[in-house]
Amino acid sequence: MDMDIGWKNRALINLSALRDNIRTIRRLAPKSGVMAVIKANAYGHDMQIVARELSCRVDGFAVASIEEGLSLRKVDNELPVIILSGLCDPSQLVSCADGQLDPVIHSLHQVDWIKCHAGRPLDVWLKFNSGMNRLGMNHDDFIHAYRVLEASPCTASIGMMSHFAIAEDLKDDFTRRQISEFNQVAAGLGGKRSIANSAGIMCWPDSHLEWVRPGLMLYGISPLEGETANYGLRPVMELQAKIISLQNLKQGDTIGYGRTYVTARPMRIANLGIGYGDGYFRTVPDSAYVIIHNRKAPIVGRISMDSMTVDVSNIKQAGIGDSAVLWGESPSVAQVAGWAGTNAYEVLCKLSARVPREIMDS
Ligand SMILES: Cc1ncc(COP(=O)(O)O)c(C=O)c1O
């Protein structure tokens, strides 16, 4: 049995919020199958925790690699698992067959590999490049690949997919063009289609088709800007750190490496044992804060690898062992992303393995 060693930092993973977000996705796309995107350790939330909770609530999972797919199979043995980055080597076909993983076929060389596959016939997803210009085939190659795979005994079924480049921008007509080009190439071929990511689910009902592929919104974060655009999503992760030390400083004292912060007045500061080694961002501006006892505690001085310092001069009750919220409801992951000059995806994915993920349900 594991000994309870208390906690210093933790990421609470709220299963109730996860379930609510799935309900929101089902409400927005009631006729589509839901393929939950849980690559990159479920956007940092812990793939095992998320997959366990979702396995009876979604219709499939999507991960990036065979390795992720095989590790997911330890939790779920039933649902389809789609490998978004596809095959990097023909030998991976064996892993797909053994692990019942459905690779995305995005290039003609992979079609050649599949033709020589001798194992169990595979369910595959053929990827069309509708303008993202990352992975996927052009119109003629796509049709050719479809016809070859259709005639091959090595494939059991063929899904068709594409990916949006800018669906979060409702004013940009590019998404409409992507939907139309995808539908055109798929027409007449037959089979299930999928193009909608979170932004597609939220903003482009025409894109829902047979399968949607939510990632970010599953975790309670909207890809759209502004709080009003969050459709009732609930953040699944709350990152917490404990106060491990308190100090009273005089006016003119400095804080942390480089002595970049000079106190303008006497100050009471708290040290949190969390830093960029845990995935917090070294580059946040002076306006960044954490929440302690429901009040803002501004971050002061440089973020270190294992610690950061916050101003608790106005939070009299702050004491050793009290917890600070670094992101969750407030500040939101999107807010932290804004401070760090990145997006919510990167904030979540960067949370390091050093921070234990703990389940909560409320
Ligand atoms: C191919 C593919 N589909 C779906 C998604 C999910 O996107 P989002 O997290 O914006 O919903 C991703 C995420 O990167 C992806 O790469």
Side-chain angles (χ1 to χ4, degrees), residues 22 25-26 29 32-36 57-61 210-212 214:
I22 281 289
I25 292 165
R26 292 276 188 205
S32 308
V34 173
M35 193 190 290
R57 294 182 172 84
V58 298
D59 308 295
F61 290 115
E210 286 76 35
W211 283 85
V212 292

Side-chain angles (χ1 to χ4, degrees), residues 45-63:
H45 288 68
D46 189 312
M47 188 169 73
Q48 312 262 331
I49 293 176
V50 171
R52 256 191 214 107
E53 191 60 20
L54 293 189
S55 56
C56 58
R57 294 182 172 84
V58 298
D59 308 295
F61 290 115
V63 293

Side-chain angles (χ1 to χ4, degrees), residues 37 39 43 84 127 134 161 163 197-199 213-217 345:
V37 180
K39 61 188 175 149
Y43 290 36
L84 294 174
K127 187 156 189 178
R134 201 171 59 169
M161 66 178 291
H163 192 42
N197 56 0
S198 296
R213 304 194 308 268
L216 196 65
M217 70 184 299
Y345 300 81

